[in-house]
Amino acid sequence: MQTPLLQVKDLKTYFHIEEGTVLAVDGVSFDIYAGENLALVGESGSGKSVTAMSILGLVDPPGKIIDGSILYNDQDLTKLNDRRLENIRGKEISMIFQEPMTSLNPVYTIGRQIAESITAHESYPRDKIRQMTIEFLKLVEIPQAEQKLTQYPHEFSGGMRQRVMIAMAIALQPKILIADEPTTALDVTIQAQIMKLVSDLQKQMNMSVLLITHNLGIVAQTSDRVAVMYAGQIVEMARTQELFSNPMHPYTRGIAEIIAHS
């Protein structure tokens, strides 16, 4: 039997605020296998993004992982110090964040930002880094890649900025790519292009993908399995076709019905 690449076990991430404790992630468990696309689906506030940030050790106060484990390469990521986590973050497990315009630095060129995602982990000569940057821009299908190196984020469309974010995320060929709402604020045509790009890169680089979304229409086209989150917990998990043909949880049934009639 295949061993999971990543195992999240009974993860609990809580936020302690003046009004009380928010159980953002409350006992979540799932596995991701090599080369698999697992979708984590739920409404805004269901705990999807906090789960992703917990995996990468990016939960800021007042949030805190209070229990559970995140196993990767026989290491529990919840037990690693910041330095060891930084060695994994971006190189072994990478992430495409929701908003490319706020995630990209407006005062640095595209080329510099992709180069920095490489030099954070590798000490390559400048010429090699420049060539790698060009190749990754080509890989994410940005035309005239060499000329684009000196341009700034505001000179790119929303879809092109998202492609730049993908290039940064895959620059070190991670084993796992977390895509957090990668098509937010994009029109339907561009959404389809971005998801096809992620799917193609996954196959080409043999990555595993954790797709975080509230859009089951996207999930139906791309994912192998689906985990449905509701109020900080996973309430249903199944292979994609099975989930759409026989959803069990009322939330899943409602969303699946909307998709079926759209």
Side-chain angles (χ1 to χ4, degrees):
M1 186 175 178
Q2 187 182 9
T3 302
L5 186 59
L6 183 81
Q7 295 177 282
V8 177
K9 297 183 176 181
D10 199 28
L11 178 66
K12 296 180 181 179
T13 303
Y14 294 174
F15 286 74
H16 299 288
I17 58 177
E18 287 185 7
E19 293 80 2
T21 299
V22 178
L23 313 184
V25 177
D26 192 24
V28 163
S29 299
F30 61 87
D31 299 334
I32 301 176
Y33 293 87
E36 178 183 37
N37 186 313
L38 173 67
L40 193 57
V41 176
E43 297 175 305
S44 296
S46 62
K48 309 183 305 296
S49 292
V50 176
T51 299
M53 301 296 268
S54 299
I55 292 171
L56 290 171
L58 294 174
V59 177
D60 292 325
K64 185 179 181 181
I65 296 175
I66 66 160
D67 201 2
S69 61
I70 302 168
L71 302 178
Y72 173 75
N73 272 354
D74 298 322
Q75 302 177 91
D76 185 349
L77 302 186
T78 68
K79 302 293 193 292
L80 300 185
N81 59 33
D82 288 344
R83 184 174 180 180
R84 291 178 67 189
L85 260 179
E86 285 172 4
N87 290 333
I88 293 172
R89 191 188 301 137
K91 185 174 183 179
E92 300 281 333
I93 305 174
S94 193
M95 186 167 177
I96 307 168
F97 293 92
Q98 286 190 31
E99 297 289 348
M101 199 58 203
T102 55
S103 298
L104 292 169
N105 192 319
V107 302
Y108 291 153
T109 64
I110 293 301
R112 176 173 175 177
Q113 293 186 63
I114 298 174
E116 286 184 348
S117 69
I118 298 171
T119 57
H121 294 277
E122 302 289 355
S123 300
Y124 293 134
R126 183 177 297 178
D127 288 349
K128 180 173 181 178
I129 291 173
R130 184 176 188 276
Q131 191 55 43
M132 288 176 69
T133 302
I134 293 170
E135 290 303 316
F136 279 110
L137 285 176
K138 290 179 179 178
L139 194 60
V140 297
E141 300 173 3
I142 290 181
Q144 301 177 315
E146 193 163 352
Q147 291 91 321
K148 293 291 195 296
L149 289 180
T150 57
Q151 293 187 346
Y152 292 85
H154 73 269
E155 299 179 81
F156 286 67
S157 68
M160 287 294 111
R161 287 195 293 267
Q162 193 60 283
R163 289 173 187 270
V164 171
M165 290 293 297
I166 294 170
M168 292 173 64
I170 65 170
L172 292 165
Q173 302 186 45
K175 298 290 189 300
I176 300 172
L177 177 65
I178 300 173
D180 188 3
E181 300 280 7
T183 59
T184 296
L186 301 178
D187 66 44
V188 175
T189 301
I190 303 301
Q191 284 184 14
Q193 293 174 2
I194 293 298
M195 291 314 304
K196 183 180 185 303
L197 174 61
V198 170
S199 182
D200 290 346
L201 290 170
Q202 177 186 4
K203 293 170 186 172
Q204 186 174 340
M205 303 175 75
N206 194 32
M207 292 185 299
S208 301
V209 172
L210 176 60
L211 172 63
I212 295 172
T213 183
H214 63 276
N215 189 332
L216 279 179
I218 290 173
V219 170
Q221 301 298 320
T222 59
S223 298
D224 301 303
R225 288 189 301 138
V226 185
V228 180
M229 281 198 77
Y230 186 82
Q233 299 180 334
I234 290 179
V235 295
E236 185 168 0
M237 184 179 296
R239 297 201 64 80
T240 304
Q241 186 175 356
E242 179 185 339
L243 183 126
F244 276 92
S245 62
N246 187 31
M248 303 300 292
H249 192 271
Y251 170 73
T252 314
R253 286 201 297 270
I255 299 298
E257 187 173 337
I258 291 171
I259 296 299
H261 291 89
S262 62

